[in-house]
Amino acid sequence: MIETVVALLMIVNNEIKEHRIQSSMSECLKGKRYAERSETGSNIKHQCIKSKAETELNIDGSKSIKKLILE
């Protein structure tokens, strides 16, 4: 299903390598700060976005991003 989500992105060499659904923008920014403090690579950036995404339900009932729809 397609819905609007808040996602934390990990960008390596200007390419999105990982994306995680967050419950709110404040939780996303908290996760971003934590990730930036613990990462040691120089080519790794983290970014919070609010975007449409195609999501799917996992076996345990949680949602995950199948595909981001960047407009």
Side-chain angles (χ1 to χ4, degrees):
M1 82 181 99
I2 295 178
E3 60 185 299
T4 301
V5 297
V6 174
L8 175 58
L9 307 179
M10 181 174 78
I11 303 168
V12 180
N13 294 328
N14 296 322
E15 187 177 326
I16 298 172
K17 291 293 185 181
E18 190 173 326
H19 38 69
R20 302 276 178 173
I21 293 178
Q22 302 295 308
S23 59
S24 65
M25 188 59 78
S26 63
E27 285 295 315
C28 186
L29 293 170
K30 187 188 301 184
K32 177 184 173 190
R33 283 192 301 272
Y34 180 80
E36 287 177 341
R37 290 178 185 150
S38 61
E39 291 289 336
T40 58
S42 60
N43 292 332
I44 300 173
K45 293 189 292 185
H46 295 86
Q47 183 177 353
C48 292
I49 64 166
K50 186 173 187 178
S51 175
K52 289 185 180 180
E54 186 176 329
T55 60
E56 63 184 357
L57 285 176
N58 296 325
I59 293 173
D60 63 355
S62 63
K63 286 185 184 178
S64 64
I65 297 173
K66 191 173 182 182
K67 180 173 73 171
L68 283 171
I69 302 169
L70 302 174
E71 296 176 343

